[in-house]
Amino acid sequence: MSEEKKMRHSDTSPTRRKLVAGGAGALAAAGLGSVGRLAQAQATIEHPFANGRRTLVAFPEKRPLIVLTTRPPQLETPFEIFDDGLLTPNDAFFVRYHNAAIPTSVDGDAHLIKVGGNAAGKPFEITVSDLRMQFRSIEYVAVNQCSGNSRAFFTPRVTGGQLGNGAMGNARWVGIPLKDVLARAEPKNSARQVTFDGLDSGVMGGGDFVKSLDVNHAMDGEVMIAFEMNGASLPMLNGFPVRLIVPGYYGTYWVKHLSSIEIIDSVYEGFWMKPAYRVPDNDCACIEPGTTPASTRPIGRFTVRSFITSVRDGARLNAGQPATVRGIAFDGGDGIRDVAYSTDGGKTWRDTRLGEELGRYSFREFKFAFVPQAGNYDLRTRAWSRSGQSQPMEASWQPAGYMRNVVESVKVTAA
């Protein structure tokens, strides 16, 4: 069965979705109001970093996921899910909000998107139902990854949500090219950027989560207003009924519950663009701990990453028996060219075997086999993109804990 058929869900209608009756409170430590009664603690896990104990909870439309916070919801995908296939199931897909007041009931057909701004020649409004009927759709597979994925592994430790490696996922998205929607608004020659806002908001002010893209990026034909994810409507916690998809870019730009698009004649400098979500403006987007960057820029494309998924740190292998190791690699859109592996901590390297390519923005599977003799092994993988970018052997550091992509180590014992 193909990956997409495995992921099919019987409900693809945009009209569904009340998260639960009465809902706004689901997201506070076990007392989440009426939604909270459906968010049941299942088990605990221990991440391999300080204060790494986490609870797994099944939120509405989700299997048990790793809880970082509940108000707002921050839920990680258990890492073993990434060994089950290249597409991450909707009910296992990670969740990241910044504002605690999130929508819990949306009419998916009647939901309105306002398109305007001071550099829009013809502002208009459109419902999701009309959006789907009046514009042609496109489809591609792309990774969504939180900027702070793996933040808890930074040394020295940094502030922010202490995420493990599960704040990422890969899905087949269907939606409308943003370019076509913007064209209907007839951008003026003065247009410089496009801003995006959704239905979530701060409980006590704090401002909407508004993001921006340069107009040329927004008009590239790949940025998408998505209404379908792995053959089904988006889960509420992943942005139902429509969200922005910015392939190859960190999830901070993937605005959920999209409700407002503005074409503007200036560079937007709201809080979530400046000072938030910025990185040191240098080649590595890094600095030495204890120092301050001379200048910063908005975070952008993914760095190259690879993970071993079939073997966990501390695993025991059978000495003298062939062992097949699987993993995934991805980057910001150039596509994965090679993945090498080492069984001796990076002293020697060999090529892995790459699997099928679902698209240049997708996870790419790799495999390698070796016959371990009795002893200890330090397994590592290192990916290269088609543009020649790769992973550093030593972890870079930055104060926000973004963009980690060091060559990871998985230590195993054969006996």
Side-chain angles (χ1 to χ4, degrees), residues 317-323 370-374 377 414-415:
L317 306 179
N318 293 322
Q321 299 296 315
F370 75 113
V371 180
Q373 303 305 312
Y377 294 84

Side-chain angles (χ1 to χ4, degrees), residues 49 53 114-115 150 178 246 270 284 288 312 352 356 365:
F49 47 74
R53 178 166 293 182
K114 298 180 179 181
V115 184
S150 314
L178 177 64
V246 188
C284 67
E288 290 296 319
R312 303 301 297 270
T352 68
E356 68 173 318
E365 185 184 60

Side-chain angles (χ1 to χ4, degrees), residues 10-283:
S10 60
D11 181 6
T12 59
S13 169
T15 61
R16 76 181 174 110
R17 210 62 55 71
K18 288 186 178 178
L19 188 55
V20 287
L27 314 166
L32 312 180
S34 57
V35 182
R37 289 194 291 271
L38 297 181
Q40 300 296 323
Q42 302 293 319
T44 59
I45 67 165
E46 194 75 39
H47 277 316
F49 47 74
N51 299 317
R53 178 166 293 182
R54 301 284 187 268
T55 301
L56 281 83
V57 173
F59 278 67
E61 300 183 293
K62 296 292 183 180
R63 69 179 72 180
L65 301 181
I66 302 166
V67 177
L68 179 60
T69 62
T70 56
R71 189 173 176 87
Q74 296 185 78
L75 311 175
E76 278 191 69
T77 302
F79 199 77
E80 59 269 19
I81 298 299
F82 300 119
D83 195 50
D84 289 344
L86 290 179
L87 298 182
T88 310
N90 290 2
D91 68 349
F93 215 92
F94 83 98
V95 174
R96 171 71 166 110
Y97 281 92
H98 295 79
N99 290 322
I102 68 171
T104 57
S105 178
V106 179
D107 185 327
D109 279 336
H111 174 72
L112 197 66
I113 304 171
K114 298 180 179 181
V115 184
N118 64 11
K122 289 188 177 180
F124 68 97
E125 299 178 350
I126 190 167
T127 65
V128 170
S129 177
D130 287 341
L131 182 79
R132 292 166 63 111
M133 289 191 297
Q134 295 177 17
F135 292 88
R136 67 176 179 88
S137 64
I138 59 173
E139 175 180 330
Y140 53 71
V141 178
V143 174
N144 183 12
Q145 179 184 207
C146 179
S147 309
N149 192 28
S150 314
R151 179 184 283 124
F153 295 101
F154 273 69
T155 303
R157 204 161 193 184
V158 298
T159 59
Q162 300 301 299
L163 291 161
N165 292 326
M168 62 179 183
N170 191 41
R172 184 176 298 277
W173 309 95
V174 176
I176 307 303
L178 177 64
K179 176 182 179 179
D180 295 348
V181 176
L182 295 178
R184 179 176 289 189
E186 297 186 3
K188 299 177 182 178
N189 291 336
S190 59
R192 294 189 64 186
Q193 287 199 327
V194 184
T195 67
F196 308 91
D197 194 6
L199 295 178
D200 51 313
S201 60
V203 173
M204 302 179 68
D208 284 354
F209 187 78
V210 179
K211 299 296 293 187
S212 67
L213 298 174
D214 288 343
V215 69
N216 288 340
H217 185 183
M219 296 285 287
D220 70 0
E222 291 191 321
V223 180
M224 176 200 295
I225 302 173
F227 52 77
E228 189 174 297
M229 175 181 177
N230 291 327
S233 299
L234 306 179
M236 179 66 83
L237 290 172
N238 293 114
F240 179 84
V242 285
R243 76 176 302 169
L244 198 68
I245 305 299
V246 188
Y249 277 66
Y250 285 96
T252 180
Y253 295 102
W254 296 40
V255 174
K256 295 182 288 294
H257 320 290
L258 183 65
S259 59
S260 175
I261 301 170
E262 294 199 349
I263 307 166
I264 60 175
D265 62 5
S266 60
V267 174
Y268 179 74
E269 293 190 343
F271 176 82
W272 296 106
M273 289 298 298
K274 188 177 183 180
Y277 284 101
R278 298 181 75 87
V279 297
D281 190 9
N282 54 40
D283 289 343

